Amino acid sequence: MKKRKLNIMPWVFNAPYIVYSVVFLFLPLIWAIWLAVTDWNLMSPDYQFVKFENFKELFFDEKVKAAFWNSLRYLIPIVLLCILFGLAIGLMVSKLPPKFKGFAAVMFFVPYLTSGVSTSVMIKYLFSYNSGLSTFLRERFGLDINWLQSKWAFYIIILMIVWKMSGYYALFVLSGIESVSEDVYEAAMIDGCIGLKKVIYITLPMIMPTLTSVVILAAGLSFQIFSEPFLLTGGGPSLSTTTWQLEIYNTSFVSFRSGYGAAMAIINALQIFIVVQGISWFMNKLNRKFGW
């Protein structure tokens, strides 16, 4: 019987990704699981094996509860607004003359390249209690609002993220729109499907797989918010803007409870997995409805 020749080329081409996954995904994951069952403080060489005590404590930690619910509060508006504005920008750019499309797409993409730190500093300068805008609103209209220490802080953070990410997601939408054949649109026009009807009945169903990718990416983003609440509000007021990333950072590197912080990170990963699987299930059903 002739032996099959071992083809090593697929392993060679996949080797960088495999090495990357092992070094930056699997090893940190194993390390985090080990840390989560210890009380290591990040500094001392000594630590105790505490079994599942860190996980038990999570259920009674008000900061963890706030991070859990806030991540879901961030999820809905961020996903909906990113889809809405990404779709609007993608449709608008697709209607431009070909020589302007590239320039317009790059202009909308620029906010994505902007540092979250620099954007947060600008917003803090704009909305701080003693800023020119706050003083103007206070003196002229009697609006005495401390924007970053009130309920408005949550909405300001959402608007910052939507502004930063909409142009990025619009590129996905634009590529989906550009892939739709003109023949489909021409056939629809013959049947009287024009204007808004064309968008609803032709464009959106045809780019549904692209929209699915955007929804999943935006959902994952809502669980990774850090720099905005860290620099603007510190998680306040009353933990209303805190996030998983902020609490993991404060616990691990400010309070020096790395074992407890690792337990937080594992529960955070579990929540992301469950939510993303739920959204994927829903979007797959929607895709099948449109024949994808």
Side-chain angles (χ1 to χ4, degrees), residues 2 9 17 40 49-50 61 87 96 103 113 119 121 123 135 154 205 239 244 263 273 275-276:
K2 189 178 179 179
M9 291 311 294
Y17 177 74
W40 191 42
F49 180 64
V50 296
D61 191 329
L87 190 61
L96 293 175
F103 178 76
L113 302 176
T119 307
V121 171
I123 292 296
T135 303
F154 178 77
L239 299 175
W244 278 110
F273 177 78
V275 170
V276 169

Side-chain angles (χ1 to χ4, degrees), residues 210-227:
T210 303
L211 293 179
T212 300
S213 300
V214 173
V215 168
I216 298 296
L217 290 172
L221 170 73
S222 64
F223 291 94
Q224 300 170 12
I225 301 169
F226 174 73
S227 58

